[in-house]
Amino acid sequence: MGEISRLLTEYGPAFGQALLLTWKLTAVSFVPGFLLGLVVAVLRLLPLPPLRFVLTVYVEIFRNIPGVALLIFIVFALPDLNVLIDYEPSVVLTLTLVCSAFTADYLRAGINTVSGGQVEAALSLGLRPMRVITAVVMPQALRAVVQPMTSLLIALMLSTSLASQVPFPGRELTALVSKIATDSAAGIPAFAVAAAMYVASGLLIAWAGAALEKKLRILK
């Protein structure tokens, strides 16, 4: 405990800034990733086989490729194609693409929980297919995937450690631990502090997800 106390005395503000950067990367990646995944999920419902095939390929690629491999490709391979993206946008783009693929896949599973009878009833009332999707199918699908999306958000928060693999402007938690371990002999206490912050962040997200799911269950 003494080592951790000394560590927090010296690096306390740095840990606070690293935690805020971790939360920032999580938010700016999750929001566009969720919206993009929502769009992909909706478009995959349209009766357009070529479009559905392309979107299915998109989901399978970014759902199965390792995040670090995707980041390396964006940072080091795209410049060979004259596509230059700065380090911070590269990390955000990587996390967004992965998040969107998993979101689309989870929403597809949520859509499958909606009975076909509801869709047929809505169509018989004269609703257009897109209106049926947005007003009948997607609201129920979103309710069904609160817990999977909560787990995805936690995984995304942990994946912000990808930023430690590039010269990122600022240090998130993993990068800060690496710097402390390099500069001093306090690597293990630094890891313990960062791990506690990751766990606390994950528990907070899990609590918010459970509260949201409970509220949506009541509103059904």
Side-chain angles (χ1 to χ4, degrees), residues 120-173:
E120 294 175 1
L123 291 173
S124 68
L125 293 174
L127 294 180
R128 296 179 179 274
M130 185 57 72
R131 179 60 177 167
V132 173
I133 293 173
T134 57
V136 178
V137 177
M138 293 311 298
Q140 297 183 68
L142 288 170
R143 289 192 186 101
V145 299
V146 172
Q147 278 304 313
M149 291 304 301
T150 300
S151 298
L152 176 60
L153 181 56
I154 293 174
L156 191 70
M157 182 268 297
L158 298 176
S159 295
T160 58
S161 59
L162 287 174
S164 64
Q165 304 301 308
V166 295
F168 196 85
R171 292 187 178 89
E172 44 70 53
L173 285 173

Side-chain angles (χ1 to χ4, degrees), residues 31-74:
V31 172
F34 173 79
L35 295 176
L36 180 57
L38 180 62
V39 171
V40 171
V42 170
L43 292 179
R44 290 176 76 183
L45 295 176
L46 299 179
L48 300 172
L51 177 61
R52 295 174 68 176
F53 174 77
V54 170
L55 294 177
T56 298
V57 171
Y58 170 89
V59 170
E60 292 303 320
I61 288 176
F62 292 114
R63 189 168 65 93
N64 292 289
I65 190 172
V68 66
L70 180 58
L71 178 62
I72 290 173
F73 176 81
I74 292 174

Side-chain angles (χ1 to χ4, degrees):
M1 292 299 294
E3 291 185 8
I4 292 179
S5 298
R6 288 193 296 272
L7 180 70
L8 291 177
T9 299
E10 184 175 356
Y11 291 99
F15 272 107
Q17 293 174 1
L19 181 61
L20 290 177
L21 180 56
T22 296
W23 288 349
K24 173 191 170 184
L25 288 174
T26 303
V28 299
S29 302
F30 180 76
V31 172
F34 173 79
L35 295 176
L36 180 57
L38 180 62
V39 171
V40 171
V42 170
L43 292 179
R44 290 176 76 183
L45 295 176
L46 299 179
L48 300 172
L51 177 61
R52 295 174 68 176
F53 174 77
V54 170
L55 294 177
T56 298
V57 171
Y58 170 89
V59 170
E60 292 303 320
I61 288 176
F62 292 114
R63 189 168 65 93
N64 292 289
I65 190 172
V68 66
L70 180 58
L71 178 62
I72 290 173
F73 176 81
I74 292 174
V75 172
F76 299 106
L78 286 185
D80 292 337
L81 302 175
N82 295 321
V83 179
L84 300 177
I85 305 178
D86 204 359
Y87 294 119
E88 182 172 357
S90 295
V91 173
V92 172
L93 178 60
T94 298
L95 296 174
T96 297
L97 291 174
V98 173
C99 177
S100 68
F102 278 97
T103 297
D105 195 55
Y106 291 154
L107 286 175
R108 181 184 61 82
I111 290 168
N112 290 336
T113 66
V114 182
S115 66
Q118 295 187 49
V119 175
E120 294 175 1
L123 291 173
S124 68
L125 293 174
L127 294 180
R128 296 179 179 274
M130 185 57 72
R131 179 60 177 167
V132 173
I133 293 173
T134 57
V136 178
V137 177
M138 293 311 298
Q140 297 183 68
L142 288 170
R143 289 192 186 101
V145 299
V146 172
Q147 278 304 313
M149 291 304 301
T150 300
S151 298
L152 176 60
L153 181 56
I154 293 174
L156 191 70
M157 182 268 297
L158 298 176
S159 295
T160 58
S161 59
L162 287 174
S164 64
Q165 304 301 308
V166 295
F168 196 85
R171 292 187 178 89
E172 44 70 53
L173 285 173
T174 300
L176 178 60
V177 171
S178 178
K179 179 181 185 303
I180 294 174
T182 301
D183 294 346
S184 66
I188 293 179
F191 172 79
V193 173
M197 289 183 169
Y198 278 126
V199 170
S201 298
L203 291 175
L204 180 61
I205 294 172
W207 172 81
L212 178 60
E213 185 183 37
K214 181 179 179 179
K215 182 176 181 180
L216 292 177
R217 187 164 58 243
I218 293 174
L219 293 176
K220 283 186 178 180

